[in-house]
Amino acid sequence: GGIAIFFALGCTLIAFVTFVVPADGVPLVDLTQLFADMRRAPGDYIWLMVTLFSTLIPTLLNLSVAVLTLGLQYPAGVRNFVADLLERGEHSGQAALLSGICICAMITIALWCPIWIFTFVITHDHGAIVNAVLWGFEAFAWAIGGI
């Protein structure tokens, strides 16, 4: 869903720049030049990439909740271990502490796991994802006559 929203946002921005022309007839942004500049000097447009990729942050958070849910439900050994600790926690301070540590570890792993994966993919693909996204947006701009 987050990826679809990301592409919808980018396409909406391109469509807005293409179809909304001020009274003087000069386009808000020259899309041809913008795409050429983004390919030539991508470091100058980090602000644009950060703005667009910030739409993926809620997706990462939703993915974290999904990982936590799976972690609490499906590894039966872990689920039963933590449930037993919680039951024994009423009578044992050590079991209560250990169950709290286990649950905190599960939550920490669930929150960070999608972020680590996202960071790994972005840093190890050598710009392939960014280039593919740029190509997709450029193709959309060409299709609607913005280029």
Side-chain angles (χ1 to χ4, degrees):
I3 292 171
I5 291 170
F6 169 75
F7 281 103
L9 176 66
C11 291
T12 302
L13 181 63
I14 290 168
F16 179 82
V17 168
T18 299
F19 296 123
V20 175
V21 180
D24 63 1
V26 177
L28 296 172
V29 176
D30 180 9
L31 289 176
T32 305
Q33 186 64 40
L34 176 68
F35 284 118
D37 288 346
M38 288 178 74
R39 289 198 191 286
R40 183 181 44 77
D44 294 345
Y45 292 94
I46 290 294
W47 62 271
L48 182 59
M49 296 296 182
V50 169
T51 301
L52 291 174
F53 277 110
S54 69
T55 61
L56 295 177
I57 291 173
T59 301
L60 289 175
L61 293 176
N62 287 329
L63 195 58
S64 296
V65 171
V67 169
L68 178 62
T69 301
L70 288 174
L72 290 174
Q73 280 299 320
Y74 291 108
V78 174
R79 181 184 66 222
N80 293 337
F81 176 72
V82 173
D84 289 341
L85 284 174
L86 286 171
E87 286 179 16
R88 286 186 284 151
E90 291 181 27
H91 307 292
S92 166
Q94 185 178 6
L97 176 65
L98 190 55
S99 67
I101 290 171
C102 288
I103 290 172
C104 286
M106 294 170 80
I107 290 171
T108 302
I109 290 169
L111 288 175
W112 282 99
C113 188
I115 294 169
W116 289 331
I117 292 169
F118 185 75
T119 302
F120 178 79
V121 168
I122 293 298
T123 57
H124 288 87
D125 75 340
H126 304 292
I129 292 174
V130 173
N131 286 332
V133 169
L134 188 59
W135 177 86
F137 285 142
E138 194 170 11
F140 175 77
W142 176 81
I144 64 170
I147 294 180

